[in-house]
């Protein structure tokens, strides 16, 4: 009798364990709650700044002062966006920024792809040494070389407020994080089966044909990731733009990020042209501009969000295939 | 053993340079030619220039002219004399690294494991977690932290402040910073999640099944299978984290701001840059020593056996 209840207890215990924690094949309730709970919690943490920004940017001045309207604006108003568009000279800056980000991105992707392919596919003397140099150029801080680089470009008369310095550095594989891109391509091309390229060679394919017909089509996943990253890096960059273009010029090339970092000053100068005292200016900054600054921030990352939205499906899938992991 | 044999072979039969090999060399060099020129001009040459700046006085009169110093490390001595805040900044940098590195790497591993498990809306979740890769840089972050969007509202600042008042300032301050910018720190783990995820997908599922059959529970498989197989990724991610976290910050601002300051200039800035480079190299060395693969032969051997048996 006692034995039987013991067995029954054991069965009951196992059944509950299966329901709550689950088996190898199926998850129980507790595991599910834990996993989804964590995921949703982290998703909230990740999305919180964006949501905060969006909510703030849509609020009117009255809502900002009203503590009860913490999240949802009482009346959605686009006035902040209208103002921010004027302050940032949005459409013109957007066009220039796209030009300034897209061209170096394409150059960098192409050059890094071919260099990574060269490192992965061919053996040549000093290859190990050059790989070491590549790693070193990635690990050491850019600041150590950025000043001499600038002086060099200046001596070559390339820093004339045009896209030239970006073009030269990206075409020579020294753009923003180029070394990382080369490493991504290197890892990827190392995984492409050698037999395929050898077979192509036997069939009479030369250097260019085997690169463009086999290596490039096979590395679309890596190309996608590098294009996305590089575009983002160039879009968000302010150091290089400040260095090469001398920061903000009224009619020169500029980026939305530069406009954004000078946003408060520009706004205050526009809204209160008579006040130049820094005290008043900073006070305006802290109380009034919050929503408009958020609208400006939202506007400057909007193109990135759209770009990501278009590419994300391929991006998230291609991440699975690409060997960034470097083994 | 094998390596030694190969070396001996190479001595016995010296390699003949064939036409085919020459062609491969040529093609290899042709592929990397643009990068080779670039690294020569913009890295090696600039490195040398930067070192020259740091060990000479730079005079700007119709171009850059170098003048020798009174003694070798004069610029460096000047840096420590003039930048009184530098030791504090270095201390902050190091404490930040010690605090942030484990958080970012372990958080990325947890998220990657969650994303890799059998969940619904996987694409949707992944899209959210890769989102910071897109926006987590530059002025946007500065604006968001400036607006207080960087801290989690659930954690009460007052409780934290009273709790932290027990500790001395040099511990309390970084911890307070940590909490007030926790979201921003977590936002920095986008790429790390990506790396872990693609690593996790390469771990053969049979390994886990074999462990389950042998009676291991989730906790044990995590420590005995996931962590050992993820070790190279952990090293990679730690290095990546150090590099990206070092790419901005107060020392970087100091380097770029001192260039134009009167009485400081290029030499001063270059000296700080080299001190910083040395600091980062030291951190990387520590990271490498901590996370390198040590005597993993046993694990690999066992894994192989398990795979064979399965």
């Amino acid at each position: 009798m006692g034995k039987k209840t013991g067995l029954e207890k054991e069965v009951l215990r196992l059944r509950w364990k299966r329901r709550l924690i689950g088996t190898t094949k199926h998850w129980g309730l507790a595991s599910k709650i834990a996993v989804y709970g964590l995921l949703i919690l982290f998703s909230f943490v990740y999305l919180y700044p964006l949501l905060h920004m969006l909510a703030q940017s849509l609020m009117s001045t009255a809502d900002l002062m009203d503590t009860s309207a913490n999240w949802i604006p009482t009346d959605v108003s686009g006035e902040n966006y209208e103002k921010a568009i004027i302050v940032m000279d949005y459409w013109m800056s957007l066009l220039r920024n796209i030009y300034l980000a897209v061209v170096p991105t394409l150059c960098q992707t192409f050059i890094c792809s071919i260099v990574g392919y060269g490192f992965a596919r061919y053996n040549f003397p000093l290859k190990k040494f050059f790989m070491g140099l590549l790693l070193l150029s990635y690990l050491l801080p850019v600041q150590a070389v950025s000043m001499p680089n600038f002086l060099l470009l200046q001596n070559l008369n390339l820093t004339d407020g045009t896209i030239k310095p970006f073009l030269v550095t990206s075409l020579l594989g020294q753009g923003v994080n180029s070394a990382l891109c080369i490493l991504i391509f290197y890892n990827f091309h190392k995984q492409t089966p050698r037999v395929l390229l050898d077979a192509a060679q036997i069939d009479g394919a030369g250097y260019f044909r085997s690169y463009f017909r086999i290596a490039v089509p096979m590395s679309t996943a890596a190309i996608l990731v590098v294009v996305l990253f590089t575009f983002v890096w160039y879009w968000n960059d302010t150091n290089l733009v400040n260095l090469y273009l001398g920061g903000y010029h009224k009619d020169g090339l500029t980026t939305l990020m530069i406009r954004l970092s000078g946003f408060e000053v520009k706004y205050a100068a526009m809204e209160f042209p008579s006040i130049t005292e820094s005290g008043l200016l900073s006070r305006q900054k802290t109380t009034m501009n919050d929503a408009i600054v958020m609208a400006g921030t939202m506007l400057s990352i909007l193109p990135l969000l759209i770009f990501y939205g278009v590419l994300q499906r391929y991006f998230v899938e291609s991440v699975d295939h690409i060997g960034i992991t470097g083994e | 053993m094998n390596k030694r044999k190969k070396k001996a072979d190479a001595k016995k039969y010296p390699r003949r340079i064939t036409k085919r090999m020459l062609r491969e060399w040529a093609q290899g060099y042709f592929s990397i030619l643009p990068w080779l020129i670039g690294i020569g001009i913009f890295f090696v040459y600039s490195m040398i220039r930067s070192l020259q700046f740091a060990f000479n006085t730079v005079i700007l009169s119709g171009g850059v002219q170098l003048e020798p110093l009174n003694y070798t490390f004069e610029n460096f001595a000047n840096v420590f004399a003039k930048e009184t805040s530098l030791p504090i900044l270095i201390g902050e940098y190091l404490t930040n690294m010690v605090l942030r590195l484990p958080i970012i790497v372990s958080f990325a591993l947890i998220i990657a494991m969650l994303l890799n498990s059998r969940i619904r809306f996987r694409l949707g979740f992944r899209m959210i977690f890769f989102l910071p890769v897109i926006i987590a840089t530059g002025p946007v972050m500065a604006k968001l932290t400036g607006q207080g969007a960087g801290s989690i509202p659930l954690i009460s600042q007052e409780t934290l402040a009273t709790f932290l008042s027990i500790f001395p300032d040099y511990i309390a301050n970084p911890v307070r910073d940590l909490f007030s910018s926790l979201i921003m720190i977590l936002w920095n783990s986008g790429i790390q999640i990506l790396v872990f995820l693609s690593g996790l997908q390469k771990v053969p599922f049979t390994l886990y099944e074999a462990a389950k059959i042998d009676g291991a529970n989730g906790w044990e498989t995590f420590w005995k299978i996931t962590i050992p197989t993820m070790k190279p990724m952990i090293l990679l991610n730690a290095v990546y984290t150090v590099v990206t976290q070092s790419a901005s910050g107060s020392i970087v601002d100091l380097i770029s701001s001192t260039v134009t300051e009167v009485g400081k200039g290029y030499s001063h800035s270059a000296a700080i840059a080299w001190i910083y480079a040395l600091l980062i190299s030291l951190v990387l060395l520590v990271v490498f020593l901590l996370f390198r693969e040590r005597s993993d032969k046993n694990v690999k051997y066992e894994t192989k056996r398990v795979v064979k048996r399965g």
Side-chain angles (χ1 to χ4, degrees):
Chain A
M1 197 66 184
K3 209 179 180 183
K4 202 181 165 190
T5 45
L7 194 68
E8 268 176 354
K9 262 187 198 162
E10 184 65 19
V11 167
L12 209 66
R13 194 181 71 81
L14 279 177
R15 189 176 294 157
W16 273 106
K17 192 186 167 192
R18 196 151 136 204
R19 267 185 206 155
L20 282 177
I21 298 170
T23 60
T24 13
K25 290 275 158 58
H26 300 282
W27 279 352
L29 192 64
S31 316
K32 261 188 191 164
I33 289 174
V35 167
Y36 284 108
L38 273 178
L39 275 174
I40 289 167
L41 180 76
F42 286 140
S43 302
F44 172 70
V45 168
Y46 264 58
L47 288 179
Y48 172 74
L50 270 185
L51 295 175
H52 179 85
M53 185 157 65
L54 188 68
Q56 288 263 304
S57 68
L58 288 173
M59 282 182 188
S60 59
T61 329
D63 276 351
L64 281 176
M65 301 299 178
D66 186 2
T67 42
S68 64
N70 208 349
W71 272 98
I72 301 149
T74 45
D75 55 327
V76 175
S77 71
E79 65 172 325
N80 295 325
Y81 283 93
E82 282 163 25
K83 273 186 193 161
I85 284 174
I86 299 167
V87 172
M88 293 171 84
D89 188 10
Y90 186 70
W91 301 112
M92 204 60 214
S93 306
L94 181 71
L95 278 180
R96 285 176 175 149
N97 201 353
I98 289 173
Y99 168 63
L100 205 57
V102 166
V103 175
T105 300
L106 294 180
C107 295
Q108 174 155 330
T109 310
F110 176 65
I111 292 296
C112 290
S113 157
I114 207 163
V115 171
Y117 172 74
F119 272 124
R121 165 103 164 84
Y122 300 108
N123 276 316
F124 44 86
L126 291 177
K127 183 176 156 182
K128 285 239 166 88
F129 170 73
F130 289 135
M131 289 291 288
L133 207 58
L134 180 70
L135 265 181
L136 196 70
S137 73
Y138 169 61
L139 294 179
L140 278 182
V142 197
Q143 287 74 32
V145 291
S146 65
M147 226 43 225
N149 279 349
F150 170 67
L151 287 175
L152 198 71
L153 288 166
Q154 210 174 28
N155 281 343
L156 296 170
N157 283 326
L158 289 171
T159 53
D160 51 359
T162 59
I163 200 170
K164 276 183 208 158
F166 294 93
L167 216 55
V168 168
T169 46
S170 62
L171 276 177
L172 291 177
Q174 301 298 318
V176 181
N177 285 343
S178 273
L180 190 63
C181 299
I182 292 174
L183 287 173
I184 290 175
F185 276 117
Y186 168 75
N187 274 318
F188 197 85
H189 285 306
K190 240 175 54 178
Q191 288 168 359
T192 43
R194 186 99 196 199
V195 200
L196 216 61
L197 293 163
D198 286 344
Q201 205 175 18
I202 289 165
D203 285 350
Y207 171 83
F208 286 104
R209 185 173 281 196
S210 57
Y211 172 72
F212 282 109
R213 284 294 177 80
I214 297 172
V216 171
M218 283 201 74
S219 63
T220 41
I223 289 174
L224 194 72
V225 168
V226 168
V227 164
L228 186 78
F229 282 176
T230 314
F231 180 77
V232 167
W233 286 326
Y234 271 106
W235 187 275
N236 285 335
D237 173 78
T238 49
N239 289 335
L240 282 183
V241 179
N242 269 327
L243 197 65
Y244 292 159
L245 299 181
Y248 168 69
H249 288 300
K250 200 165 183 298
D251 295 312
L253 269 178
T254 186
T255 65
L256 286 173
M257 288 300 150
I258 296 284
R259 297 275 186 181
L260 187 64
S261 52
F263 192 89
E264 278 102 340
V265 182
K266 183 89 191 294
Y267 175 73
M270 235 177 68
E271 204 79 330
F272 319 100
S274 55
I275 304 168
T276 45
E277 279 162 60
S278 54
L280 258 173
L281 204 143
S282 64
R283 198 171 148 197
Q284 290 299 342
K285 246 194 246 176
T286 49
T287 53
M288 295 270 296
N289 292 12
D290 274 15
I292 295 160
V293 171
M294 286 291 112
T297 316
M298 202 73 204
L299 279 175
S300 50
I301 60 166
L302 199 63
L304 286 181
L305 288 178
I306 293 169
F307 187 61
Y308 180 63
V310 172
L311 280 187
Q312 62 86 14
R313 207 187 168 80
Y314 310 99
F315 171 68
V316 169
E317 276 167 11
S318 67
V319 160
D320 295 351
H321 309 298
I322 162 178
I324 314 183
T325 45
E327 63 252 47
Chain B
M1 190 66 189
N2 206 7
K3 235 183 192 172
R4 207 179 291 164
K5 206 183 160 197
K6 258 189 192 166
K7 255 189 190 167
D9 274 359
K11 253 187 196 168
K12 240 191 247 169
Y13 319 100
R15 273 200 307 180
R16 284 229 331 272
I17 297 170
T18 56
K19 220 174 177 181
R20 210 183 140 184
M21 275 168 72
L22 271 179
R23 201 175 61 203
E24 191 175 341
W25 291 0
Q27 287 178 343
Y29 272 111
F30 179 74
S31 309
I32 66 163
L33 189 66
W35 174 81
L36 211 54
I37 297 170
I39 200 98
I41 297 173
F42 291 111
F43 186 72
V44 177
Y45 174 74
S46 288
M47 234 20 162
I48 295 168
R49 281 302 270 180
S50 175
L51 274 175
Q52 282 177 341
F53 287 175
F55 287 103
N56 286 290
T57 312
V58 177
I59 292 165
L60 288 169
S61 57
V64 177
Q65 269 150 16
L66 299 173
E67 269 192 13
L69 294 166
N70 297 332
Y71 55 97
T72 322
F73 289 101
E74 192 183 344
N75 282 325
F76 291 92
N78 273 341
V79 164
F80 280 105
K82 282 180 190 165
E83 307 292 343
T84 41
S85 61
L86 192 64
I88 302 165
L89 291 183
I90 290 175
E92 267 174 17
Y93 168 81
L94 289 176
T95 34
N96 267 335
M97 232 12 126
V98 170
L99 284 174
R100 290 179 183 204
L101 188 62
I103 291 182
I104 292 176
V105 173
S106 48
F107 178 78
L109 184 59
I110 292 170
I111 292 282
M113 283 173 66
L114 286 176
L115 284 179
N116 194 41
S117 55
R118 305 178 301 267
I119 47 165
R120 279 158 198 272
F121 314 114
R122 190 194 287 215
L123 271 179
F125 277 123
R126 281 193 186 183
M127 194 185 156
I128 292 171
F129 287 110
F130 294 155
L131 197 62
V133 176
I134 311 299
I135 34 183
T137 35
V140 174
M141 298 280 273
K143 288 282 180 292
L144 284 175
T145 17
Q147 301 297 322
S151 60
I152 304 171
L154 306 174
I155 300 168
S156 152
Q157 296 291 318
E158 287 82 27
T159 348
L160 192 70
T162 43
F163 174 72
L164 281 175
S165 58
I166 316 165
F167 297 103
D169 267 1
Y170 60 89
I171 294 177
N173 284 340
V175 173
R176 195 179 303 122
D177 285 351
L178 187 78
F179 273 97
S180 65
S181 57
L182 194 59
I183 293 184
M184 295 297 131
I185 294 170
L186 296 188
W187 263 32
N188 277 313
S189 50
I191 303 232
Q192 288 85 331
I193 293 174
L194 228 136
V195 169
F196 275 136
L197 200 59
S198 66
L200 281 172
Q201 277 161 356
K202 281 177 196 143
V203 183
F205 192 68
T206 42
L207 267 185
Y208 288 103
E209 282 197 328
K212 279 262 160 64
I213 290 166
D214 285 348
N217 58 22
W219 184 249
E220 278 167 344
T221 47
F222 173 73
W223 288 107
K224 294 270 165 68
I225 295 177
T226 311
I227 291 285
T229 45
M230 283 295 107
K231 217 161 179 199
M233 318 300 158
I234 294 175
L235 175 64
L236 192 76
N237 270 337
V239 169
Y240 180 82
T241 310
V242 171
V243 170
T244 44
Q245 289 288 305
S246 309
S248 60
S250 39
I251 303 183
V252 172
D253 295 342
L254 193 70
I255 292 169
S256 44
S257 70
T258 46
V259 174
T260 48
E261 270 176 53
V262 182
K264 287 175 178 173
Y266 285 38
S267 296
H268 194 83
S269 161
I272 305 176
W274 280 102
I275 293 170
Y276 193 46
L278 199 68
L279 193 69
I280 295 173
S281 315
L282 281 177
V283 172
L284 284 175
L285 188 71
V286 171
V287 164
F288 186 73
L289 290 177
L290 278 177
F291 294 110
R292 79 188 152 150
E293 284 187 84
R294 269 168 312 204
S295 62
D296 261 11
K297 273 177 197 162
N298 288 328
V299 176
K300 270 185 190 154
Y301 177 62
E302 273 172 29
T303 353
K304 260 182 209 161
R305 254 195 347 200
V306 171
V307 171
K308 260 184 199 167
R309 230 191 273 154

